[in-house]
């Protein structure tokens, strides 16, 4: 079971399939693979549509500006620490 923070809207599958929940879905997308706290392939990401943050065990955080870099070729985490921290806080809010 995935538990959403209290301030996040739960979107019923029916609304998604009927196209009624598009705005809520685009607000923030969270994905990940958790093989355990020390497993090297564990990762998580958060995307707000403009930015995408990828957090992996034993690797630096990666931030991509999807609007200007849709192929995710340039890590801009050091250039935009405020975006990195905002998305990281959102990501940890879901975990």
């Amino acid at each position: 079971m995935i538990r959403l923070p209290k301030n996040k809207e739960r979107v019923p599958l029916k609304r998604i399939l009927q196209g009624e929940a598009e705005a809520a879905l685009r607000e923030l997308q969270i994905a990940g693979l958790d093989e355990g706290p020390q497993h090297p392939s564990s990762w998580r990401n958060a995307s707000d549509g403009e930015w995408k943050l990828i957090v992996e065990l034993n690797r630096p955080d990666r931030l991509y500006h999807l609007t200007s870099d849709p192929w995710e070729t340039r890590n801009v985490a050091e250039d935009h620490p405020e975006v990195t921290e905002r998305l990281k806080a959102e990501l940890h809010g879901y975990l």
Side-chain angles (χ1 to χ4, degrees):
M1 174 198 264
I2 297 173
R3 295 186 181 173
L4 296 175
K6 291 181 182 182
N7 64 340
K8 299 296 178 190
E9 176 185 355
R10 296 175 191 270
V11 182
L13 182 59
K14 181 178 178 182
R15 283 185 56 208
I16 295 169
L17 295 174
Q18 293 174 336
E20 299 172 5
E22 187 173 334
L25 289 175
R26 290 177 187 238
E27 182 179 323
L28 185 70
Q29 297 176 9
I30 303 288
L33 173 67
D34 190 352
E35 297 286 339
Q38 299 301 318
H39 197 279
S41 67
S42 294
W43 59 269
R44 295 182 175 102
N45 75 48
S47 174
D48 64 5
E50 181 178 5
W51 299 95
K52 180 178 180 182
L53 175 69
I54 302 172
V55 178
E56 289 185 77
L57 186 65
N58 299 322
R59 291 191 64 183
D61 294 339
R62 289 175 287 159
L63 179 71
Y64 300 102
H65 186 244
L66 299 175
T67 306
S68 63
D69 181 18
W71 298 105
E72 301 174 15
T73 61
R74 185 169 173 260
N75 180 3
V76 295
E78 290 184 9
D79 300 333
H80 300 279
E82 72 287 351
V83 178
T84 300
E85 290 307 312
R86 176 179 60 83
L87 287 175
K88 193 181 288 189
E90 290 278 2
L91 183 61
H92 292 301
Y94 279 87
L95 305 176

